[in-house]
Amino acid sequence: MAFKEVKAEDLQWNPFTKIGKEWLLITAGTEEKINTMTASWGGVGVIWGKNAVTTYIRPQRYTKEFVDHNDTFTISFYSEAYRKALSLCGSVSGRDEDKIKEAGLTPYFVDGTPAFEEADMILVCKKMYHDEIVPEKFDAPENEEKWYPQKDYHTMYISEVLKVLVKEEK
């Protein structure tokens, strides 16, 4: 699969649709071992003078171990044809089965950071900051009640976008 690098500033898409409705995969690891998870929360923008993304991972997610142990990870976006694969990657753990193989995804490495050949767009990200969401910081307590009944608060990662790759048209 061929990808071309583009400038983040040249992207023309709606993050509310792309993240919240179409979903994405967060993928981390090494050429020896990788894991991925589906996400529908996140953000894009600029912080500390850098193009950046925010991602959120619950403590029990296996992918969190991979993100925590590596400086870089990818977020990648897919066409609707991969909705079933993304659904699978969000519902089973890579601890228990080879969900990447089961989802029909093919690892693709960008400077040693894993993504998948089937992606339409890949953002290579370098962690800059992370913090735990904690109950005492909620200004709208109804969000804690609704989203954290198990008290399994996300870790938020703010990461620089190092590269943006888009699938080359055939």
Side-chain angles (χ1 to χ4, degrees), residues 8-28:
E9 296 83 0
D10 293 341
L11 292 175
Q12 301 282 319
W13 50 271
N14 181 326
F16 298 100
T17 301
K18 196 61 93 179
I19 297 168
K21 298 199 181 324
E22 295 176 12
W23 309 339
L24 58 98
L25 289 179
I26 299 171
T27 309

Side-chain angles (χ1 to χ4, degrees), residues 53 71-73 124-129 158-162:
V53 296
D71 292 334
T72 59
F73 63 94
V124 180
C125 307
K126 181 176 174 38
K127 295 181 303 182
M128 296 191 293
Y129 179 85
I158 300 174
S159 305
E160 178 183 5
V161 176
L162 298 176

Side-chain angles (χ1 to χ4, degrees), residues 38-50:
T38 303
S40 62
W41 290 13
V44 295
V46 177
I47 188 168
W48 304 316
K50 297 176 187 226

